[in-house]
């Protein structure tokens, strides 16, 4: 994967033909796995992630249990073949950091107080990485939590905004992430108009940063709509007799 | 350190139910004792892996990807490419799988698949040599169990074979002793298609391809495999328990039959031309 | 160790002079260590293993204990100098797999229900590896369990059969294992006429497989006899006053 | 595996105390909400490290040392030196830090400092190349948290920059393709001085550079950084909780102001001549 | 750091100008860290160490707790840049061994019986290593224990003696340690006239060994005096009102 | 992290029994305080190890094996072979040993033996050089504790020395800068035979070579060693507790005497010709 001469052409089109504020084709499906309590598959262009949730279950070892709420564990992990160069087995430092920021985003909306002494496990598996894996992963994880029936104050939707050839763009792909000037993953709880994940890789002016947040918000509103649709689709599949 | 797993107490009731059905040639999901679950094979889903396959056998889902690098051969096999098999029982596949490095079950799975591929002589490793003694293709065959509803062995081997049979390896030219990508790709020749069938024994009866509820209550289980010539290419007793010696003859015979059934299915779904076998 | 021209000569003799169905010289001794609850030393030709048993003891950490039976832990391990190329310290994947199959064989005959909430530890140490270490190790481990006074439904005896220069042979040595066509370790509980360990490394026809099992059975019957002799020898050493 | 940390129960009382003070623009230690704690910077304390700095921000103390080796460049950057950042939350700094390999907090700290240095383009890595494609300077920037009274982010970055700005790297001559030390030393050019400020949010209020008692009861916190040109060089939401979107504008503005304040302090204490920025 | 031609010159002066029985400049400060229960900084010439103590606290995991006394944990650790060649992250075998011998020295004087079921953690961090880090570390650790208010039968003072160019010397620096013939770290509980740490790296005659112990004792008496001074200085800082 | 071991409560009764006997110059197994247990040395038991020895001292049994490879020398010692010592306290030796990587006890044992061999200058490492700066013999001396009835130090060193003294190293010819095995073997020259004696102190008394029941109740213990010239080659206080300074003189003297006794036994059992000492 080498750097194209230009990341945005004379018509304002990006390497994959998108406009600056355009999301990639998004696919979401809830309940894709059988043996977890909740699961979801999310695709943002070439980025493909699966998330699964187990619990609430008894927390063990016992001394980790909290008297007033559930603990939420989270692992963000990539398959070895999800990236250009084979990722070594085991957790990289990057995966450990992203597990932390994803967990901290999810804790924000899940009603953990409803399950004292319990644990909830969230697993995000990146099957293919083409930019924005942590935001796609978080988007999938929040669907999986909903699928598992964990009560939540809101869904979480996330997307990366970036700066590419001096221009702000929405939903970076891998090429833009690698050769662009900045990558800023943003996730929000739309109902609260609040940020639940925010990181920056690169540099932006203050003005770009502020516009970037607004651009992210635009994408997030659309993703949020798709999430609710995907959930509806899942639950409409369940016939009345089953309920 | 191998640690004896807990035996579910409620398992006893389920065991007697499954055994009673088995005496009538029936199973809890309507299958006959020797029926396999439906197999689905999808290949080429991923673009960053040189080969990939998603295989389901009932609800059990396996994703295998292959990454290819150029590396050095083993000193005692200077003219052969190499491959390694890893397997991860992802925690999202089952509440009984823990995050962390592969435990004994993941290691056993990887080694059983590895032996099937290696002893089944699936690949002509000499054709994966680039410069003798110096540069060879190194294949990483990485198996991920995504959803675990019993018997991850058989679909793991199917997915490894499907990923291999549809992999695209970059061609290299040797220019002044150095390697240069030609921009072209080739698919490794498959010389043999060994498959396995997991056999579960309850009392004096056996069933094939157990789903999870069955697997939990088996007295003992075996994974056995065979190639298209009827060679046994894999045997692994993979659980505690005793296999009555007198059952072995009929088990072997059904394994030959059922691996043939899987092979026909595989050849229908996966575009593979079997090379002349060694 | 390079490949000999032929693994079986014109007289049907193997590299070490044995006939196809002949075991190597076997030595067994029970109670070779002082500080374990049971122990045994087993030699099959150049293969030398020691096994020791500790327990039943209280299982810890507690949450691993089972209400209805003892857990049985097993570690198969090789010394670094037991093989041609120095084995790195720590457990290899092979050692972890063999620990599992040995444990699963032993669980089959030990009356674990007699010790609820307890743990029994079995250690197999390969001092020198010359083929058939897992079957020799399992043979030794079952003697060590008996020596430790753990009640057992039967002893376990094991041996490898193999295919060498196209011929089935009993009790493979290293050279035959390395350059032969197949290595099939088999262990049985002779009283039950049942298989408790079975693996295959290599290829065999169905007919060879069936004949191989019969050949293994022949060897196992002899090994089983030697086991009982070794136990008798140990216990006859204890003078009546001690009992 | 990221594990949700326990929430101290007595924290609730402290939270309401801190919040009440904040409504009056006050804090428990007498600071204004946007006041930073006093910063002390000492450099060159250690002789076996090529660079070192001990930085305190209130009672939080950070020691950073730099070791330099000669190594190989990354294949895709053959003409650039390399650096890695590690951070250890030493158990002597806090009862909440465990001995052992860095946990997720230590890794996050290292990666936040690493990104600040890398994306802030602090070093001209091309000037750390010795023989293109073969030999480059390799810098190990190792951060140790010695005493933890809240906010280890800001002083860690200050200490990394101070250690870099005062480091003495050995010069080499290339003789017949081999490296020979000349016996002379040089200080790497610093092209940019990005700093961070940790922002804590309680309700609709925020405070800067929380000390430990404050940090424990924050609703949420952010680490944000900027360079001398007003570029945002670091953003990391580093705790659970929601940041109201409408707070972001004023947070960004105060971060620009306060990183400027740190920069002035830094330039007073540390003898650094800023090279022309890229 | 290459070997000087001579480690002791014609006037009996060592590489840093000291006489054979002379200590390096020593600096001690108690209570240097805020967040630990006790701490101390100790400098012997170029050797710089910090020690901190936490506890007594509840021991966990619980099954490690002792019914009749506190457990004392100890970690001796070096920063990566404390030595000539960067020390890899993680504990080396040397650090693990020294953690053991330091702990065993401290256990000797701390009244652990006063805190049944508790744990006390001692951390020694070597900031710069210029010879005698374990004895300086132990000296600092005993000050930190005192600072933490752990009752102790005595302070512990330590110093290395060595053999350099055939001569016994006190308080080895790095150069002498590296190029000398022997390095013998010694620590004592002076009030009991007893040895609490003793190791040897190198060779000595019996007579040198005996003289070496006496030389160590001489240095230790001086270090012990400095320790008590440092403690006095710390506690004199606390105004009467605070007490 | 070094963890304080538990003290057996019933130990107190045993301690007073052992101490009372000691006051009468007696021990629980009939030995005098300064008696060692019987030592048995068997060498050359294993064929895949280049050297091996099984040593028992009472019921404590140690197996040491040596593997030899060709490797590169340390940069600062280009003309010397290298060796490393590892020790594993195998779980089959004692209920108090856990499976897993060596804990602090195993590491201490390995390092004490390593120092004895290294500082005792047992091997002439220059004779283990093949091509200066490039190829040297690399010896792995791996010690396994098989049965632990107290004092694993002394028999471990004996077994390491016995394995070294009887090892067979392959000879190499250097042909065109490459190594070729000649098919011949040689035994490394032994220049010195340092041995150790473990000394246990109870009250103001001491005993040598404690068996396990004694070891558990000692106030403190030391491992001390000496070579044939009366040099002290090893000192390691290896347990908690205080050694009264006034005991040291008599301890040193008995260590010189008893290591001599071990040396005579060793020279009887092991065919070793001491080379001229350095």
């Amino acid at each position: 994967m080498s750097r194209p001469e230009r990341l945005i052409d004379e018509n304002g089109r990006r390497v994959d033909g998108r406009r600056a504020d355009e999301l990639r084709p998004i696919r979401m499906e809830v309940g894709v796995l059988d043996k977890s309590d909740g699961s979801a598959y999310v695709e943002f262009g070439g980025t493909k992630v699966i998330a699964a949730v187990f619990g609430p279950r008894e927390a063990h070892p016992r001394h980790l249990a909290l008297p007033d709420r559930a603990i939420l564990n989270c692992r963000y992990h990539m398959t070895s073949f999800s990236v250009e160069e084979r990722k070594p087995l085991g957790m990289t430092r990057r995966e450990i950091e992203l597990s932390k920021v994803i967990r901290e985003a999810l804790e924000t909306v899940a009603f953990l107080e409803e399950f004292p002494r319990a644990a909830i496990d969230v697993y995000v598996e990146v099957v293919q990485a083409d930019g924005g894996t942590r935001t796609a992963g978080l988007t999938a994880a929040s669907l999986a939590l909903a699928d598992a029936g964990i009560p939540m104050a809101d869904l979480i939707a996330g997307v990366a905004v970036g700066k590419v050839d001096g221009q702000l763009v929405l939903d970076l792909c891998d090429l833009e992430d690698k050769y662009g000037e900045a990558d800023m993953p943003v996730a929000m709880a739309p109902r609260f108009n609040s940020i639940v994940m925010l990181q920056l890789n690169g540099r932006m002016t203050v003005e770009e940063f502020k516009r970037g947040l607004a651009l992210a918000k635009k994408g997030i509103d659309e993703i949020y709509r798709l999430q609710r649709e995907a959930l509806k689709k899942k639950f409409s599949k369940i016939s009345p007799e089953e309920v | 350190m191998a640690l004896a797993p807990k035996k579910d107490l409620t398992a006893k009731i389920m065991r007697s139910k499954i055994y009673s059905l088995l005496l009538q040639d029936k199973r809890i999901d309507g299958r006959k004792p020797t029926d396999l679950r439906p197999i689905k094979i999808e290949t080429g889903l991923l673009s960053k892996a040189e080969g990939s396959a998603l295989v389901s056998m009932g609800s059990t889902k396996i994703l295998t990807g292959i990454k290819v690098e150029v590396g050095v051969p083993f000193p005692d096999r200077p003219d052969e490419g190499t491959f390694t098999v890893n397997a991860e029982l992802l925690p999202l596949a089952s509440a009984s799988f823990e995050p962390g490095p592969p435990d004994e079950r993941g290691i056993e799975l990887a080694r059983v698949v590895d032996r099937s591929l290696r002893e089944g002589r699936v690949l002509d490793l000499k054709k994966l040599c680039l410069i003798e003694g110096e540069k060879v293709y190194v294949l990483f065959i990485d198996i991920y169990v995504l959803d675990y509803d019993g018997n991850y062995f058989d679909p793991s081997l199917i997915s490894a074979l499907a990923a291999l049979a549809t992999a695209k390896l970059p061609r290299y030219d040797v220019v002044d002793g150095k390697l240069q990508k030609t921009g072209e790709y080739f698919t490794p020749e498959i010389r043999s298609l060994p498959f396995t069938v997991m056999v579960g024994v309850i009392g004096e009866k056996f069933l094939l391809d157990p789903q999870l509820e069955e697997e939990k209550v088996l007295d003992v289980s075996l994974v056995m495999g065979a190639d298209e010539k009827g060679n046994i290419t894999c045997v692994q007793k993979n659980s505690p328990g005793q296999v009555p010696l007198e059952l072995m003859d009929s088990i072997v015979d059904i394994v030959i039959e059922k691996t043939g059934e899987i092979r026909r299915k595989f050849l229908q779904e996966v575009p593979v031309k079997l090379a002349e076998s060694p």
Side-chain angles (χ1 to χ4, degrees), chain A, chain B:
Chain A
M1 202 175 71
S2 58
R3 196 197 197 291
E5 212 175 307
R6 298 198 303 185
L7 291 166
I8 299 194
D9 73 10
E10 60 281 9
N11 302 316
R13 294 289 175 162
R14 296 153 67 182
V15 286
D16 52 8
R18 282 184 290 158
R19 292 183 312 273
D21 64 349
E22 195 178 342
L23 292 166
R24 290 176 287 181
I26 289 174
R27 208 186 119 195
M28 294 184 188
E29 197 179 336
V30 176
V32 294
L33 300 178
D34 237 59
K35 292 297 169 183
S36 46
D37 296 314
S39 62
Y41 174 78
V42 167
E43 217 177 86
F44 278 50
T47 288
K48 297 164 198 251
V49 301
I50 309 180
V53 169
F54 291 86
R57 55 162 181 85
E58 202 189 339
H60 61 87
R62 289 280 178 79
H63 69 268
L64 292 179
L66 300 181
D68 59 342
R69 60 189 186 97
I71 55 169
L72 191 143
N73 303 308
C74 176
R75 187 175 95 139
Y76 163 98
H77 183 255
M78 306 179 95
T79 63
S80 62
F81 44 77
S82 61
V83 283
E84 215 65 37
E85 297 281 311
R86 178 171 186 260
K87 199 211 70 146
L89 305 178
M91 293 285 278
T92 61
R93 285 158 53 107
R94 180 180 169 278
E95 288 170 308
I96 292 170
E97 183 196 358
L98 298 196
S99 296
K100 177 179 188 286
V101 297
I102 292 174
R103 185 196 75 226
E104 290 174 345
L106 294 172
E107 280 192 67
T108 302
V109 293
F111 286 118
L112 300 176
E113 314 76 39
E114 306 224 345
F115 311 102
R117 311 220 133 265
I120 296 168
D121 299 311
V122 180
Y123 300 105
V124 173
E125 193 70 30
V126 178
V127 169
Q128 187 163 285
D130 189 14
T133 60
R134 82 195 74 180
T135 41
L138 180 50
T139 301
S142 99
L143 287 173
L145 276 171
D147 185 37
I150 309 289
M152 291 162 80
D154 198 3
L155 287 173
I156 286 173
V159 72
V161 292
K163 189 174 156 189
V164 158
D165 283 0
Q167 227 180 292
L168 284 179
V169 296
L170 184 64
D171 188 17
L172 288 182
C173 70
D174 209 10
L175 214 59
E176 294 173 326
D177 181 4
K178 189 160 180 199
Y179 297 110
E181 294 102 79
D183 168 31
M184 181 164 74
V186 186
M188 299 190 186
R191 186 182 294 173
F192 299 96
N193 203 33
S194 69
I195 296 169
V196 295
M197 179 204 272
L198 185 61
Q199 296 185 286
L200 175 65
N201 217 328
R203 292 193 301 183
M204 285 183 175
T205 64
V206 168
E207 187 269 335
E208 284 163 348
F209 174 74
K210 292 178 179 175
R211 271 203 297 132
L213 281 183
L215 182 57
K217 179 82 176 85
K218 183 172 169 295
I220 281 166
D221 286 340
E222 170 64 8
I223 293 160
Y224 189 58
R225 195 185 57 75
L226 294 171
Q227 284 180 303
R228 283 172 302 172
E229 251 174 41
L231 279 172
K232 243 180 256 164
K233 204 168 145 194
K234 161 74 191 295
F235 290 108
S236 67
K237 274 193 218 149
I238 303 172
S239 61
E241 296 90 298
E242 283 187 65
V243 181
Chain B
M1 175 129 207
L3 180 70
K6 295 185 194 182
K7 201 100 187 181
D8 191 358
L9 285 174
T10 65
K12 287 184 184 167
I13 299 152
M14 184 53 100
R15 183 189 181 280
S16 82
K17 180 178 167 190
I18 289 173
Y19 181 63
S20 310
L21 284 170
L22 216 47
L23 291 176
Q24 312 162 49
D25 261 5
K26 287 183 188 168
R27 289 166 76 173
I28 47 174
D29 56 5
R31 282 188 282 164
K32 295 271 167 213
T34 60
D35 282 352
L36 307 177
R37 290 173 293 179
I39 294 167
K40 274 204 299 194
I41 307 172
E42 292 175 88
T43 56
L45 295 166
L46 302 179
S47 62
K48 300 206 175 183
E50 273 81 13
S52 61
L54 178 64
V55 169
S56 62
M57 198 152 173
S59 290
T60 294
K61 279 190 198 60
I62 312 287
L63 178 66
T64 294
I66 295 172
K67 292 294 283 183
V68 178
E69 295 178 5
V70 172
V72 289
F74 291 116
D76 56 341
R77 310 248 165 154
D79 59 343
E80 295 190 359
T82 67
F83 68 87
T84 61
V85 177
N86 283 292
E88 295 213 20
L89 309 180
L90 289 176
L92 53 55
S94 166
S96 72
F97 297 164
E98 302 275 343
D103 69 356
E104 58 173 31
R105 293 176 296 175
I107 287 170
E108 181 183 47
L109 171 57
R111 287 176 58 84
V112 165
V113 172
D114 184 288
R115 286 199 287 268
S116 286
L117 297 177
R118 209 171 291 280
E119 305 296 347
R121 297 179 208 183
V122 167
L123 293 171
D124 187 350
L125 294 174
K126 292 202 194 303
K127 295 207 170 145
L128 298 179
C129 178
L130 287 161
I131 304 174
E132 186 168 332
E134 289 183 31
K135 301 281 181 193
V136 298
Y137 288 98
V138 173
L139 274 59
F140 294 93
I141 303 169
D142 292 325
I143 296 169
Y144 291 88
V145 179
L146 294 181
D147 211 358
Y148 168 52
D149 190 23
N151 181 20
Y152 42 61
F153 288 93
D154 305 344
S156 289
L157 179 55
I158 297 171
S159 72
L161 285 166
L164 277 172
T166 57
K168 304 274 177 231
L169 276 54
R171 278 199 197 282
Y172 291 90
D173 279 341
V174 183
V175 180
D176 294 338
K178 295 205 167 171
L179 296 178
Q180 287 185 347
K181 281 195 183 176
T182 65
E184 290 175 359
Y185 293 84
F186 71 102
T187 296
E189 246 176 36
I190 302 299
R191 301 192 299 181
S192 174
L193 284 175
F195 292 99
T196 58
V197 174
M198 183 167 166
V199 183
V201 178
I202 305 190
E204 76 296 354
K205 297 300 229 175
F206 64 82
L207 52 78
L208 303 186
D209 178 29
Q211 54 139 298
L212 189 57
E213 286 196 298
E214 293 169 337
E215 196 174 298
K216 280 179 179 166
V217 303
L218 296 176
D219 292 348
V220 62
S221 60
L222 283 172
V223 180
M224 289 194 67
D227 66 13
E228 56 286 328
K229 297 195 174 165
N231 291 306
I232 305 293
T233 50
C234 174
V235 188
Q236 178 87 351
K237 175 169 171 290
N238 70 326
S239 81
Q242 306 185 16
V243 187
L245 197 52
E246 65 268 20
L247 273 187
M248 287 308 300
D249 280 5
S250 35
I251 287 175
V252 175
D253 297 339
I254 193 79
V255 163
I256 297 289
E257 180 191 328
K258 288 293 166 172
T259 51
E261 187 179 314
I262 296 173
R263 192 170 298 106
R264 283 189 297 279
K265 170 76 177 171
F266 185 92
L267 290 168
Q268 273 166 29
E269 305 284 326
V270 182
V272 55
K273 214 187 72 189
L274 271 176
E276 200 174 320
S277 186

